[in-house]
Amino acid sequence: MADESSAADREEEVEAMGDTTDAKPDRKGKFSLFGNKKKKNVQGPEQDLSTESRNSVVSPTFQYKTNYKRLGKCVIINNKNFQEKTGMKVRTGTDKDAGELNKCFKTLGFEVCSYNDQTCQDMEKLLRDASEEDHSECSCFACILLSHGKEGMIYGTDGAMPIKTLTSLFRGDMCKSLLGKPKLFFIQACRGSEFDNGIQTDSGPPNESLETDANPQHKIPVEADFLFAYSTVPGYYFWRNPGQGSWFVQALCNVLSEYGNQLEILQILTRVNYTVATSFESWSKDPRFGEKKQIPCVVSMLTKELYFS
């Protein structure tokens, strides 16, 4: 309870000291860091690698199949309001995140289902039901959790629960219709109460017998084919702007909209990391909360490359 109280107290302090401007407001130009697709004469490192040479290292053997009838289901759980006993404050700005994510993942081709203010029991039931559905005609599954949190835990409206309780429902031995297919979890929640102050800078052989995504004649690890994209690294606080949404979701939606049908998922998330790391910095009249930075964290157990196209 000490950790929970500390995190809650710190968040209350942050909000009281100007969290409404925790991201410098003018970021429109920053999102063009990777170039404009409409400009054909831009020179840069990306031009040095020809289309032919890029294609030469792309092999279907190392790609997840995406030629199913549907891309898959995306479950968004958006927890904004919390019971008083939790000590957690209202997550102002999360509705902006949920709306942008809904639109973004629908554009990619996901069947999106959104749920607001779910208890721990509600969250577990929602995802258990999803894991028991037939995903045999789907390429993958995605889940987005927007809530308060601490390391290894996510908050329902009535308290905290282990994230693993939710994700383990999709293990290879629990959800057979997603066996060998990517399970993607995007987790927008604190993982502690530390701040990142930033620092000034100068600057195995392929097995052909496993070609199919889920060949029942061969064993694969039950924890394989998961990807976890966290808004921040273990132990740290994340930043959310009540008007514009969280830094992580802003960057994720922008990069997915720009490159979601071109790049592999880890390339996409690396660009998200870069955008959050370089384009955002907190602002507050209180020096304890000003000029803070954030870096997302990607944990991958994927066994192949994933292209949404």
Side-chain angles (χ1 to χ4, degrees):
M1 290 299 296
D3 290 342
E4 294 180 24
S5 299
S6 175
D9 292 344
R10 173 159 283 191
E11 181 161 347
E12 186 174 7
E13 284 187 276
V14 172
E15 291 180 355
M17 293 309 301
D19 187 49
T20 53
T21 53
D22 63 7
K24 294 181 179 177
D26 186 9
R27 299 294 178 190
K28 295 180 181 178
K30 298 281 189 169
F31 285 120
S32 299
L33 293 167
F34 308 113
N36 189 326
K37 292 189 293 184
K38 296 180 181 179
K39 295 180 180 180
K40 297 183 179 180
N41 296 322
V42 177
Q43 297 297 317
E46 292 189 6
Q47 272 75 28
D48 295 336
L49 189 60
S50 68
T51 300
E52 290 77 14
S53 61
R54 283 198 300 270
N55 289 341
S56 66
V57 297
V58 175
S59 168
T61 302
F62 298 104
Q63 292 181 27
Y64 286 107
K65 289 185 177 181
T66 55
N67 59 347
Y68 293 90
K69 289 184 178 180
R70 293 179 289 147
L71 179 57
K73 187 171 187 175
C74 173
V75 175
I76 299 177
I77 297 178
N78 175 34
N79 290 339
K80 178 180 180 179
N81 304 291
F82 299 83
Q83 295 179 17
E84 186 176 351
K85 66 178 182 180
T86 65
M88 296 293 109
K89 302 298 180 182
V90 175
R91 297 183 61 253
T92 309
T94 190
D95 290 336
K96 173 72 172 178
D97 282 347
E100 291 299 316
L101 288 163
N102 189 306
K103 180 171 63 176
C104 183
F105 276 75
K106 278 183 177 177
T107 300
L108 284 175
F110 282 93
E111 173 195 346
V112 180
C113 300
S114 298
Y115 305 91
N116 296 324
D117 291 342
Q118 302 293 297
T119 65
C120 293
Q121 185 176 358
D122 291 337
M123 292 195 294
E124 185 171 358
K125 184 180 186 304
L126 276 173
L127 292 181
R128 185 178 298 280
D129 289 346
S131 71
E132 293 174 352
E133 292 178 12
D134 183 4
H135 301 270
S136 57
E137 294 184 347
C138 299
S139 299
C140 62
F141 172 80
C143 176
I144 303 170
L145 303 175
L146 309 172
S147 189
H148 287 297
K150 54 186 179 180
E151 181 54 26
M153 307 289 283
I154 190 82
Y155 271 84
T157 57
D158 59 343
M161 68 182 301
I163 293 173
K164 194 168 182 64
T165 299
L166 303 176
T167 61
S168 63
L169 297 169
F170 297 87
R171 292 185 356 166
D173 57 345
M174 299 287 286
C175 183
K176 296 294 180 66
S177 61
L178 283 172
L179 182 63
K181 299 177 182 179
K183 280 80 68 173
L184 314 175
F185 287 84
F186 301 86
I187 302 171
Q188 170 65 48
C190 288
R191 303 179 74 183
S193 56
E194 294 184 54
F195 288 135
D196 187 332
N197 294 319
I199 186 168
Q200 193 67 40
T201 179
D202 297 326
S203 62
N207 186 338
E208 296 299 330
S209 65
L210 292 179
E211 170 62 19
T212 57
D213 285 345
N215 189 330
Q217 298 178 0
H218 298 271
K219 283 187 176 182
I220 62 174
V222 295
E223 300 283 1
D225 304 302
F226 279 90
L227 180 139
F228 301 97
Y230 294 93
S231 58
T232 188
V233 292
Y236 282 82
Y237 188 86
F238 81 87
W239 293 89
R240 183 181 67 256
N241 184 289
Q244 300 175 24
S246 65
W247 298 356
F248 174 64
V249 172
Q250 288 181 62
L252 176 63
C253 289
N254 186 273
V255 176
L256 279 174
S257 297
E258 191 83 4
Y259 302 101
N261 291 319
Q262 301 174 41
L263 300 179
E264 199 273 332
I265 186 64
L266 291 178
Q267 292 177 308
I268 289 171
L269 292 174
T270 299
R271 296 198 181 199
V272 171
N273 284 0
Y274 180 79
T275 303
V276 174
T278 61
S279 299
F280 294 95
E281 185 175 294
S282 67
W283 181 90
S284 174
K285 294 179 180 179
D286 189 326
R288 293 177 298 167
F289 307 128
E291 300 182 352
K292 305 304 181 187
K293 302 292 289 183
Q294 180 181 325
I295 183 68
C297 177
V298 182
V299 180
S300 175
M301 281 75 77
L302 297 182
T303 57
K304 295 184 180 181
E305 298 160 3
L306 174 62
Y307 292 88
F308 292 121
S309 58

